[in-house]
């Protein structure tokens, strides 16, 4: 048996025990008797205790150099801190590792022109904090109602410098465990008898081991494309942000995303003209409903282009362009030895005669498109060419044992993850935040704070079920309460609202009762039971999703852009709730074969709630009545609500009164009739007169317009919980 450790880490000398070497051990200690003098000497137990203490100390000091946690969160940006909050609240063993000296270091530099495009709408006219998060794109989730971004800025488009301040406040007030100055340079996975774990090595060669690795490093590596002359191009990450430096210059910007238009916006007043080039035309966020597309706050150049004021947009594949300088421009100025700064020309690869020299910057007029076409749109030279192509994930820190694959979309800039955000082929490694955007790229808000704060919560719920046997949180309801609960959720819930078509509420039907599971990743529906811990009964399930219409070429500013007729709810173009009913969980094969553009496979029954201008969906006729009919079809039960008098009459005249009466009135849980209550109804104008109520056989508490809609015995009331 060997107990040893490096001398630099252990203060006690290494001791090797072998048969017949007790005398040597005694000489090591000096104060121990020789074994041949007294084998059963009373100091022997003390000697063994000394060895045990020394070994424990040695082991402890070794472990100090390799720190172990159940959860390692890599990155102290908004996604990492959001996960840190959930781990801290659950009292888990975790650490957040950040290479810089403070949280949210990305925002210390980006966006370069220091204005965020995330909405900070403080005044909504509502006091409901859950509803207000629908319009607060910067705050993180916590149990502190005042820990919101509006404490550091009240601007609708806030300054970027405010966000690190908010994150610092978030860390301090919640007491999150963040270690700064830890620059992880290598991540590897190891397999042992206890399972898979990850080892993270920092700049000091110290190791951090964890059972679960949560990568929240975001996207910060500039996206570059190699082409002839790419060495002559300036990068968004290093350009000057002083507009005066572009005075009277001709500028070519590569890219048409928000960073490109942000740059164009800042120099528009000073530059002589600004041209923008990318493979695709501009995609406007208000048309595509994707917040990663061009936002209106940065699109002044569209005006100057369409109103013919020198600026313009051009489409071309960047791999086929060439940025060159002409040889004849290298002449000396007549007034001195200084060389005139060379102009940059845009050419095409097919026109360059000497293509063997990849970054050749010396060409003649015969290498330019204008030599072949005098109407070439970009024939004039430029003073600067700026690359604004966005960012990509940093794969370089992962070795082959731990590296997630490149995503199939987003040109491979993102890591590939499962529907529950676990790296594909890397069990125990989860990707959070912007880096996990491959799951909903160009379809939802998962790449942005107001989206991934909810996906981080979903990942934490997956972790709680998998590693701690804590089921996905749910609300148990009587089936008669289902209608009101659905109305409550679609009217205020921020998670499904922001992460439309990605996170959905799942209703587990169980006869006279049901279970309401909030914000489950719908693409993981085939794995629902294993991920959530909830089983599906033979009564089936309902999935409540918010989604946009699927029509193409809709004029979203045109006269017929919206529908208000509830009978045409399936033609809604704007965000609206859709309910899918399944008698069993969809399979993975069904998910793959779902109709193009659909969030889910074809269900047994589907119900669209017509779009609502106010996004409240509380109209008794247009929203509540059709929804109740659909739910009744799914649960095969009458879900109407009744007053005590009606329940009493049904109990006397029917063998089986409606479920609402069974679960309420017959259990003495209904609304108690009193003269004061009826007087309140009368004062509020809720009780129509005998003339208005029609025949005396109808319930006098229901207005005529409900009767005309076929709801003569349905109150249409929205209960509060």
């Amino acid at each position: 048996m060997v107990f040893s450790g490096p001398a630099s880490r252990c203060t006690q000398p290494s001791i090797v025990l072998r048969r017949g070497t007790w005398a040597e051990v005694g000489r090591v200690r000096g104060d121990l008797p020789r074994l041949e003098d007294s084998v059963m000497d009373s100091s022997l137990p003390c000697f063994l205790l000394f060895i045990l203490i020394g070994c424990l100390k040695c082991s402890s000091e070794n472990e100090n150099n390799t720190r172990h946690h159940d959860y390692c969160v890599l990155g102290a940006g908004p996604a990492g801190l959001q996960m840190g909050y959930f781990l801290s609240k659950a009292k888990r063993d975790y650490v957040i590792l950040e290479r810089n000296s403070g949280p949210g270091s990305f925002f210390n530099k980006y966006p370069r022109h220091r204005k965020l495009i995330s909405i900070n709408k403080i005044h909504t006219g509502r006091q409901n904090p859950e509803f207000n998060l629908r319009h607060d794109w910067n705050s993180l989730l916590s149990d502190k109602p005042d820990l919101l971004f509006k404490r550091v800025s009240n601007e609708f488009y806030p300054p970027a410098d405010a966000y690190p301040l908010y994150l610092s406040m978030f860390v301090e007030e919640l007491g999150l465990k963040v270690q700064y100055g830890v620059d992880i340079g290598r991540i590897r996975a190891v397999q042992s008898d206890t399972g898979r774990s990850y080892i993270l090595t920092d700049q000091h060669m110290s190791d951090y081991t964890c059972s679960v690795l949560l990568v929240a490093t975001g996207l910060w590596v500039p996206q570059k494309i190699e082409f002839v002359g790419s060495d002559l191009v300036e990068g968004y990450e290093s350009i000057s942000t002083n507009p005066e430096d572009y005075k009277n210059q001709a500028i070519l910007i590569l890219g048409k995303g928000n960073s490109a238009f942000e740059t164009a916006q800042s120099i528009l007043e000073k530059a002589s003209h600004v041209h923008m080039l990318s493979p695709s035309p501009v995609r406007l966020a208000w048309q595509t409903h994707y917040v990663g597309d061009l936002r209106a706050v940065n699109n002044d150049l569209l005006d100057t282009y369409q109103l013919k004021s020198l600026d313009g947009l051009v489409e071309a594949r960047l791999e086929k362009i060439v940025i060159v300088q002409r040889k004849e421009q290298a002449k000396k100025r007549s007034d001195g030895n200084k060389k005139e700064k060379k102009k940059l020309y845009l050419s095409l690869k097919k026109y360059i005669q000497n293509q063997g020299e990849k970054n050749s910057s010396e060409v003649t007029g015969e290498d330019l498109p204008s030599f072949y076409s005098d109407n070439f749109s970009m024939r004039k030279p430029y003073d600067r060419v700026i690359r604004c192509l966005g960012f990509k994930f940093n794969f370089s820190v992962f070795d082959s044992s731990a590296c997630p694959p490149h995503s199939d979309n987003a040109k491979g800039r993102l890591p590939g993850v499962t529907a529950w955000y676990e790296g594909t082929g890397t069990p125990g490694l989860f990707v959070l935040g912007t880096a996990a955007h491959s799951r909903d790229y160009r379809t939802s808000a998962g790449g942005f704070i107001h989206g991934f704060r909810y996906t981080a919560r979903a990942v934490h719920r997956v972790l709680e079920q998998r590693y701690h046997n804590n089921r996905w949180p749910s609300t148990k309801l009587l089936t008669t309460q289902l209608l009101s609960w659905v109305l409550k959720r679609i009217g205020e819930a921020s998670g499904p609202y922001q992460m439309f078509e990605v996170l959905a509420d799942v209703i587990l039907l169980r006869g006279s009762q049901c279970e309401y599971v909030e914000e489950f990743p719908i693409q993981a529906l085939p794995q629902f039971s294993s991920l959530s811990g909830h089983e599906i009964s033979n009564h089936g399930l309902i999935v409540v999703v918010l989604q946009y219409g699927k029509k193409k070429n809709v004029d979203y500013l045109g006269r017929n852009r919206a529908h208000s007729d509830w009978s045409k709810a399936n033609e809604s173009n704007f965000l609206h709730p859709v309910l899918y009913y399944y008698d069993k969980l969809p399979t993975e094969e069904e998910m793959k074969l779902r109709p193009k553009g659909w969030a889910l496979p074809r269900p047994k029954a589907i119900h669209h709630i017509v779009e609502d201008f106010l996004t409240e969906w509380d109209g008794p006729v247009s929203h509540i009545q059709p929804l109740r009919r659909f739910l009744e079809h799914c649960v095969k039960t009458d879900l109407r609500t009744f007053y005590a008098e009606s329940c009493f009459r049904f109990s006397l005249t029917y063998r089986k009164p409606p479920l609402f009466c069974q679960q309420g009135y017959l259990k003495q849980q209904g609304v108690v009739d009193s003269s004061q209550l009826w007087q309140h109804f009368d004062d509020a104008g809720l009780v129509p007169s005998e003339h208005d109520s029609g025949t005396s056989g109808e319930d006098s508490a229901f207005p005529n317009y409900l009767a005309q809609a076929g709801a003569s015995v349905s109150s249409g009331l929205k209960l509060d919980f």
Side-chain angles (χ1 to χ4, degrees):
M1 182 179 293
V2 179
F3 297 86
S4 63
S8 61
R9 300 178 185 175
C10 292
T11 56
Q12 300 295 334
S14 300
I15 300 176
V16 181
L17 301 185
R18 301 183 181 88
R19 290 182 179 271
T21 59
W22 289 104
E24 297 178 11
V25 173
R27 286 192 293 273
V28 171
R29 281 286 295 155
D31 58 340
L32 296 176
R34 295 193 313 168
L35 185 62
E36 54 267 30
D37 294 336
S38 176
V39 175
M40 301 299 296
D41 194 283
S42 60
S43 63
L44 183 57
C46 296
F47 167 68
L48 295 176
L49 180 62
F50 161 77
I51 294 178
L52 180 61
I53 293 174
C55 293
L56 289 175
K57 184 176 181 180
C58 208
S59 174
S60 174
E61 294 187 6
N62 284 335
E63 288 178 358
N64 286 338
N65 195 57
T66 302
R67 303 163 181 84
H68 177 80
H69 299 276
D70 292 340
Y71 298 94
C72 291
V73 182
L74 190 58
L81 297 183
Q82 184 66 87
M83 177 55 72
Y85 161 72
F86 292 123
L87 293 173
S88 177
K89 185 178 180 181
K91 295 180 170 44
R92 303 303 174 201
D93 174 26
Y94 77 97
V95 66
I96 303 173
L97 305 176
E98 168 58 44
R99 64 176 181 166
N100 292 294
S101 58
S105 57
F106 179 87
F107 296 95
N108 291 328
K109 183 176 183 180
Y110 301 107
R112 294 299 315 280
H113 300 90
R114 313 312 294 146
K115 178 188 280 189
L116 300 176
I117 59 174
S118 49
I119 291 174
N120 183 36
K121 189 173 181 63
I122 296 175
H123 306 290
T124 65
R126 301 278 291 272
Q127 300 300 317
N128 186 326
E130 180 68 14
F131 175 87
N132 289 342
L133 280 173
R134 289 182 168 187
H135 311 287
D136 176 355
W137 289 13
N138 300 284
S139 297
L140 299 181
L141 306 177
S142 75
D143 54 4
K144 290 194 171 185
D146 64 332
L147 191 52
L148 302 174
F149 183 76
K150 64 182 180 181
R151 283 173 55 182
V152 297
S153 175
N154 58 7
E155 296 183 42
F156 191 74
Y157 292 114
D161 292 332
Y163 210 73
L165 294 177
Y166 170 69
L167 294 182
S168 297
M169 181 176 70
F170 192 84
V171 171
E172 181 178 353
E173 294 193 17
L174 294 175
L176 302 184
K177 301 175 183 177
V178 185
Q179 291 187 18
Y180 299 108
V182 180
D183 189 1
I184 299 298
R186 185 190 179 198
I187 299 173
R188 61 192 187 278
V190 293
Q191 194 72 34
S192 65
D193 295 338
T194 58
R196 184 182 177 94
S197 61
Y198 290 89
I199 302 177
L200 291 68
T201 305
D202 67 9
Q203 72 273 32
H204 303 299
M205 301 307 293
S206 295
D207 288 339
Y208 298 81
T209 67
C210 52
S211 303
V212 178
L213 174 59
L214 300 152
V215 180
T217 54
L219 308 180
W220 58 271
V221 179
Q223 174 77 355
K224 300 179 181 179
I225 295 181
E226 294 296 327
F227 53 82
V228 178
S230 59
D231 58 322
L232 302 175
V233 174
E234 302 176 58
Y236 171 75
E237 67 278 4
S238 58
I239 59 170
S240 169
T241 56
N242 183 2
E244 291 293 332
D245 292 341
Y246 302 89
K247 190 173 182 178
N248 204 32
Q249 292 186 355
I251 309 298
L252 173 62
I253 297 177
L254 305 181
K256 294 195 195 111
N258 280 297
S259 63
F261 271 88
E262 166 209 328
T263 302
Q265 184 98 344
S266 70
I267 63 177
L268 209 56
E269 295 181 2
K270 300 296 181 181
S272 61
H273 59 267
V274 179
H275 292 167
M276 306 184 73
L277 182 145
S278 73
S280 304
V282 171
R283 291 182 288 247
L284 302 173
W286 60 265
Q287 286 183 324
T288 63
H289 307 300
Y290 174 59
V291 295
D293 286 336
L294 178 60
R295 303 288 301 287
V297 66
N298 284 327
N299 68 5
D300 285 0
L301 187 135
L302 297 183
D303 265 7
T304 59
Y305 171 43
Q306 291 296 327
L307 299 178
K308 305 308 294 179
S309 185
L310 298 178
D311 306 313
L313 306 175
V314 182
E315 285 72 49
R317 291 186 60 183
L318 299 184
E319 296 85 352
K320 294 186 176 182
I321 70 169
V322 178
I323 303 297
V324 295
Q325 294 173 321
R326 296 186 63 173
K327 288 182 179 180
E328 52 266 32
Q329 287 186 323
K331 297 178 181 178
K332 292 183 180 179
R333 296 172 57 121
S334 58
D335 57 348
N337 296 325
K338 285 187 177 181
K339 292 184 179 180
E340 184 179 347
K341 184 177 180 180
K342 294 182 181 181
K343 298 283 187 178
L344 302 175
Y345 288 82
L346 184 140
S347 184
L348 300 177
K349 207 170 185 180
K350 61 183 180 180
Y351 296 131
I352 301 298
Q353 298 177 3
N354 186 14
Q355 296 188 23
E357 301 177 16
K358 184 174 182 180
N359 280 328
S360 174
S361 60
E362 302 292 337
V363 298
T364 63
E366 296 181 2
D367 295 315
L368 301 179
S370 58
F371 182 82
Y372 304 92
S373 173
D374 61 358
N375 195 31
F376 181 66
S377 58
M378 307 180 78
R379 59 186 178 273
K380 294 292 186 179
Y382 297 96
D383 294 287
R384 295 187 180 197
V385 180
I386 301 174
R387 166 183 41 77
C388 300
L389 302 177
F391 301 91
K392 62 182 179 180
F393 183 72
N394 180 24
F395 289 91
S396 65
V397 297
F398 299 89
D399 74 3
S400 58
S401 64
C403 189
H406 291 257
S407 60
D408 295 329
N409 56 11
K411 300 179 181 178
R413 297 185 297 116
L414 306 173
V417 295
T418 65
W420 51 96
Y421 302 97
E422 190 170 17
T424 305
T426 55
L429 185 153
F430 291 81
V431 184
L432 309 175
T434 305
H437 193 30
S438 63
R439 287 307 311 179
D440 62 306
Y441 182 67
R442 297 201 51 76
T443 59
S444 195
F448 311 90
I449 296 169
H450 65 286
F452 63 62
R453 62 190 178 192
Y454 302 102
T455 58
R457 180 161 63 185
V459 170
H460 178 255
R461 289 169 173 172
V462 170
L463 299 176
E464 285 293 302
Q465 162 61 19
R466 179 185 295 184
Y467 299 106
H468 308 286
N469 202 29
N470 292 327
R471 297 196 305 172
W472 200 287
S474 64
T475 302
K476 293 184 178 180
L477 303 167
L478 298 175
T479 301
T480 52
Q481 299 172 320
L482 180 56
L483 174 62
S484 296
W485 199 263
V486 171
L487 290 170
K488 173 183 172 67
R489 287 288 296 169
I490 64 177
E492 70 176 29
S494 58
Y497 188 90
Q498 303 286 26
M499 288 301 296
F500 53 89
E501 301 188 32
V502 175
L503 298 180
D505 292 351
V506 180
I507 305 169
L508 308 178
L509 304 178
R510 309 196 190 282
S512 62
Q513 297 182 336
C514 61
E515 205 162 355
Y516 203 101
V517 179
E518 299 178 359
E519 298 176 18
F520 187 83
I522 58 176
Q523 298 305 311
L525 209 55
Q527 294 82 21
F528 177 82
S529 296
S530 61
L531 294 176
S532 70
H534 297 279
E535 296 298 329
I536 307 297
S537 73
N538 56 6
H539 294 278
L541 67 153
I542 299 174
V543 183
V544 185
V545 187
L546 268 72
Q547 64 184 52
Y548 284 92
K550 301 305 177 184
K551 289 183 180 178
K552 302 296 183 182
N553 303 320
V554 176
D555 183 358
Y556 286 104
L557 295 179
R559 186 177 297 273
N560 298 318
R561 61 186 178 271
H563 292 276
S564 58
D565 185 352
W566 64 269
S567 65
K568 297 180 180 179
N570 61 307
E571 299 179 11
S572 297
N573 291 319
F574 287 89
L575 193 67
H576 64 285
V578 182
L579 285 77
Y580 297 75
Y581 168 69
Y582 299 93
D583 57 359
K584 60 182 179 180
L585 280 175
T587 64
E588 290 190 49
E589 187 67 17
E590 290 172 334
M591 291 295 294
K592 293 178 182 178
L593 298 178
R594 67 186 185 274
K596 185 177 181 181
W598 283 44
L600 289 168
R602 292 189 183 277
K604 290 291 182 181
I606 188 170
H607 175 68
H608 290 256
I609 302 179
V610 69
E611 56 191 328
D612 182 34
F613 185 73
L614 301 177
T615 64
E616 293 180 350
W617 299 287
D618 58 357
V621 175
S622 296
H623 305 121
I624 299 176
Q625 172 75 5
L627 174 60
R628 179 179 64 80
R629 293 292 193 187
F630 173 76
L631 293 177
E632 287 177 338
H633 169 76
C634 296
V635 301
K636 299 178 177 58
T637 302
D638 188 344
L639 295 181
R640 291 175 295 179
T641 56
F642 301 93
Y643 289 106
E645 180 182 354
S646 299
C647 285
F648 177 72
R649 185 171 63 249
F650 289 139
S651 300
L652 296 178
T653 57
Y654 289 87
R655 289 189 176 183
K656 187 176 182 181
L659 187 61
F660 180 85
C661 296
Q662 295 179 39
Q663 296 178 341
Y665 174 76
L666 296 181
K667 293 185 178 180
Q668 299 182 355
Q669 295 179 2
V671 178
V672 179
D673 188 11
S674 67
S675 58
Q676 292 87 352
L677 181 61
W678 282 105
Q679 184 62 44
H680 173 72
F681 287 163
D682 187 50
D683 294 341
L686 298 177
V687 182
S689 64
E690 184 176 349
H691 172 73
D692 295 333
S693 62
T695 63
S696 59
E698 294 179 345
D699 191 329
S700 60
F702 301 104
N704 278 338
Y705 72 87
L706 282 178
Q708 295 169 3
S712 59
V713 289
S714 174
S715 68
L717 294 179
K718 181 178 177 182
L719 303 181
D720 291 323
F721 292 89

